Structures are given as structure tokens and as C-alpha cells.
Amino acid sequence: MGRQYGCVPHGVRDRYKVHYQLTAIMKKETIKKEWHVPEKYHAQVREKPETFYNVPHEYRSPQLCLEAVRGWGYNLGIVPEEMKTREMCREAFNASPDLDYGHCAIIGFMPFADVVLECLKDSAGGTDMTDLAATVRPEVMDREIAGFLVGKDGHCLQYVPVHLQTEELALMAVGTSGNAALLHRSVREDIKTEKVYMAGMEEDCFQSFLHIPPDRRTPEICLVAEKLYPDVVRARPDSIPEAVRNGCNIYTLGNLLEKACGERFDAGTVKRVYEGKLLRVKQFTTPTGVMNDTVIRFSKENSRFQYDQPHKNRMIKRGMKP
């Protein structure tokens, strides 16, 4: 004999409730899976794509999302991540109204590195590269994207995730933007090497030397700077750290060589002498006078010169100062 629901014992009634709730959820999931989207939403999105955000979430089907971004690219920002496709991202980018920063902000909605790189290349030249770099999701940026951005503007290095920042990328950054590219706090300190700083010094641009923090101006960097900007360094002696000016190092050796030999040497020559290589000079001033046609050698270990006149076959040791 059948009984009314109200007469069903509590345990059975609870089972009925669970059954009905599961059935309702399954029906809802079925609707979501099959995407029975009322035509009114399609019509609404086609007529006014910017109203896509008013469409209930359960009716935002992949097809409706695609229609929405085709009509207004910024809709990509409210498309569920799991529904985004490469085609949809390209459609959103192509549907954007212009090529200014707002247009490029759509790149930040894209989870595909290959599509992001396509869009960056398409936008390069029409938008500031650092604005472009700022829109790329850190988790999406890869080495190829980082290399493209930094190759266009070294200041983009500040937006590259630290795990992708390398000395090689830093060299690329200073090659396009000088040492100013390394001033940003988000750039790793360990990639700001002597090699990188020297690569970032431009001839006739003393500012590129001043962009190097004083505590990073090594003797070799200062030597290169003096060769590149001799007049400015003489006018701004404070730009050379006191420890470098007063130490026994490659910088002071360069000055000593020029004073003792009466000629100028490039940084490469001074470096070779500092490393112990022989150098033949026309003349060399010693405590006892001037020696002509002389071969000299410098020892870092004891900061002393050895010099020899080949035709006399004698080698004499003396201190670093003439």
C-alpha cells in the first residue's frame, strides 16, 4: 500500500531527498555539458557583445564565449580559463578596437605562450615595449618571449620572472638600453656582473658609466671608462672610487704605464700586462733614467716590474711606482 511522502520514515525520507538533490545536480550538469543556451543570450551577445558579463555562468558555452570575444576582444577576460583556446585568443586580439596599450592589455588574458608571442610581434613598434612586457602573465612568459622583449628594449628585463633572468639576457638588455636597464629592483643582483656592466658602457655616453653603482665600479671597469671618456673622468675624478684610485690594481697600472712609457695603451693591452704578459715599449722610465727599446713584465704577486733591454740581455726588478 502506497504512502504519502510525509508518512515516509525519516531515514527513507533522507534517502529520497539525497536522490532528488543528486538528480537536480545531474540535470544541471547535463544542461551545462550539452550547453542548451537560450537563443536570447546569443542574440544579446551578437547585438551588444559588451553585455556578455550579464550572461549567467551556466550559459557561457564555448560557442557563446567565442561569439563574445569576436564582438569585443576584452570579453576574453571573463571567459573561464578552461574554455580558452588558441583560436579564441587570436579572435580576441584581432577584434580589439585599436593598437594602443588598451589593446595590448588583452595579452594578459592569454594562457598560451605561443599566441602571446605572436601578439607581441604584431604589436611591436606601435606600443611601448615595456607596456607590452607588463601585460604578459609571469607564468606564461618563457625564454623566447623574454628574449624577444629584451631584444627590443632592455628595460623589459624588469618584467622577466627571476628564474628566467640570466647573464646572457642581461647582456642583451644592456646591448639595447645600456646599463640603465639594470637599475630596476626586480633585476637579479647576481647577473649584474663586471662583464655585463662593461658591455653596457657606450662610447661618448658617460652616463652609462654613472649608471653603475659606485660599489660595482671595479678597477677594470674604471680603466675601460677612462679609455672611453678620458676628458670627463679627468673633470670628474670623484666618479672613480677612492679605493680604486689608491689601490694597486689594473686601473692604477694603466696610469703608471702611460706615465712611464709616454704613450697611451688601450684597456686590452693593460689587461695583458696586468696578467703577466710581456710588453715591448719604445721607452721606459726607471729610477736611474730612461731605457729605450725595452721589454717589460708586471707581477701582481709582488707588485713589481721587470724590464729588459734585449740587446743588453739583462732583466731588472723594480717596484710599481717609477
Side-chain angles (χ1 to χ4, degrees), residues 123-149:
S123 299
T127 304
D128 186 277
M129 294 305 297
T130 56
D131 286 341
L132 285 173
T135 66
V136 181
R137 296 182 184 183
E139 69 274 14
V140 172
M141 189 176 292
D142 59 13
R143 295 185 186 280
E144 194 172 1
I145 292 175
F148 173 76
L149 290 168

Side-chain angles (χ1 to χ4, degrees), residues 96-244:
S96 300
D98 48 45
L99 290 174
D100 62 10
Y101 174 76
H103 168 73
C104 298
I106 293 175
I107 294 173
F109 303 142
M110 300 178 184
F112 308 107
D114 55 338
V115 179
V116 167
L117 184 58
E118 290 174 18
C119 297
L120 291 174
K121 289 180 177 179
D122 182 81
S123 299
T127 304
D128 186 277
M129 294 305 297
T130 56
D131 286 341
L132 285 173
T135 66
V136 181
R137 296 182 184 183
E139 69 274 14
V140 172
M141 189 176 292
D142 59 13
R143 295 185 186 280
E144 194 172 1
I145 292 175
F148 173 76
L149 290 168
V150 172
K152 294 290 185 180
D153 187 333
H155 291 280
C156 291
L157 183 62
Q158 64 182 303
Y159 296 108
V160 175
V162 292
H163 71 280
L164 294 177
Q165 293 181 16
T166 61
E167 185 183 60
E168 181 183 4
L169 201 61
L171 285 169
M172 187 183 298
V174 300
T176 56
S177 302
N179 286 322
L182 304 179
L183 294 176
H184 306 285
R185 292 183 178 180
S186 56
V187 178
R188 283 171 48 175
E189 289 297 320
D190 61 316
I191 66 172
K192 299 175 183 179
T193 62
E194 182 180 64
K195 177 181 177 181
V196 170
Y197 277 129
M198 284 201 290
M201 287 195 291
E202 305 172 41
E203 192 171 0
D204 300 324
C205 183
F206 184 62
Q207 196 69 20
S208 62
F209 172 60
L210 295 182
H211 282 145
I212 303 174
D215 63 339
R216 295 293 188 93
R217 297 176 194 171
T218 65
E220 188 168 351
I221 286 177
C222 292
L223 174 66
V224 172
E226 190 167 73
K227 301 302 179 183
L228 290 174
Y229 335 105
D231 296 334
V232 183
V233 170
R234 279 194 292 270
R236 290 279 307 275
D238 59 309
S239 64
I240 305 297
E242 185 177 354
V244 173

Side-chain angles (χ1 to χ4, degrees), residues 14 30 39 70 83 85 94 98 102-103 105 119 128 130 132 148 164 179 206-207 242 251 274 285 295 298 314-315 320:
D14 290 342
T30 300
E39 176 57 32
R70 280 174 176 165
M83 288 188 196
T85 64
N94 293 332
D98 48 45
H103 168 73
C119 297
D128 186 277
T130 56
L132 285 173
F148 173 76
L164 294 177
N179 286 322
F206 184 62
Q207 196 69 20
E242 185 177 354
Y251 174 79
Y274 190 67
T285 302
V295 175
F298 177 73
R314 62 193 180 96
M315 183 69 76
M320 186 172 177

